[in-house]
Amino acid sequence: GYKIPTANLNSSEAFEYTTDRVTNLVIGTVGTGYTSAPDLKFSSGAASAYSLLNGGGVGTVTLTNPGRDYGSTPTIEVGTQWITNTTYATGQQIFHLANLYTVTNGGNAGTSAPTHTSSSQTMGTATVAYAGAAAKVTAVVSTVTFTKFKKFSTKLVFLSSNTSKIPQAKELRCIAMQA
């Protein structure tokens, strides 16, 4: 098998590397008034997660991909953020600052953000009703060290349905991935 270059070997001669990745998600505010679990969108990197509701608020968040090589902690957008001149559908939920709203009459949001904390408000051609407090989730990024294998090997088996044609490999690359 191929021996890993000594540049990334620790004192036990095992391959080792470190990376900054999302290691935890913290629900700061569960929110109120949600009708479906909001999507979680990270501001940078490849991290991903999903949420589950509990009684109209975010009860659980689960990290599905921690990402890697974060230079700074990403922010997490919980649900759909209100954006100027965006068209929203009836029933869609949006948030602005710390407030959650339900679109009761779909249309273009116009240029004035919703700020009310009771009843409804028309913005552009859309009408939104105050639903409750918006959820807030934050990420925790930590340096993680991975220590795994010293060596790896590969096995390549060529198959052919015609014995007069010998299979060939050109520009073959094997990449050892750690679990």
Side-chain angles (χ1 to χ4, degrees):
Y2 175 77
K3 182 141 172 85
I4 302 223
T6 58
N8 291 334
L9 296 181
N10 64 15
S11 60
S12 300
E13 292 192 8
F15 178 69
E16 182 174 276
Y17 75 94
T18 60
T19 187
D20 293 331
R21 63 192 313 178
V22 176
T23 54
N24 194 21
L25 299 174
V26 178
I27 301 172
T29 305
V30 297
T32 56
Y34 285 94
T35 57
S36 63
D39 291 333
L40 302 178
K41 181 181 173 188
F42 289 77
S43 61
S44 63
S48 60
Y50 65 89
S51 69
L52 296 175
L53 290 185
N54 183 9
V58 174
T60 306
V61 289
T62 301
L63 187 63
T64 54
N65 178 356
R68 65 177 187 192
D69 299 329
Y70 280 97
S72 60
T73 302
T75 59
I76 301 173
E77 188 175 285
V78 181
T80 303
Q81 183 174 5
W82 175 87
I83 300 173
T84 303
N85 290 319
T86 299
T87 300
Y88 296 107
T90 300
Q92 187 172 1
Q93 290 194 298
I94 59 173
F95 75 90
H96 180 65
L97 302 175
N99 300 323
L100 177 68
Y101 301 95
T102 301
V103 179
T104 56
N105 183 34
N108 188 292
T111 58
S112 297
T115 57
H116 61 290
T117 55
S118 65
S119 66
S120 297
Q121 175 183 341
T122 299
M123 313 166 316
T125 60
T127 303
V128 297
Y130 177 74
K136 179 77 175 161
V137 176
T138 55
V140 176
V141 172
S142 302
T143 300
V144 178
T145 300
F146 292 95
T147 305
K148 288 287 180 184
F149 47 82
K150 294 181 188 179
K151 296 180 182 179
F152 65 91
S153 61
T154 59
K155 180 178 182 180
L156 183 60
V157 178
F158 291 102
L159 301 174
S160 176
S161 59
N162 184 339
T163 56
S164 65
K165 290 189 176 182
I166 300 170
Q168 294 180 345
K170 293 183 180 182
E171 298 183 35
L172 176 67
R173 264 185 218 182
C174 294
I175 301 173
M177 304 297 288
Q178 295 186 70

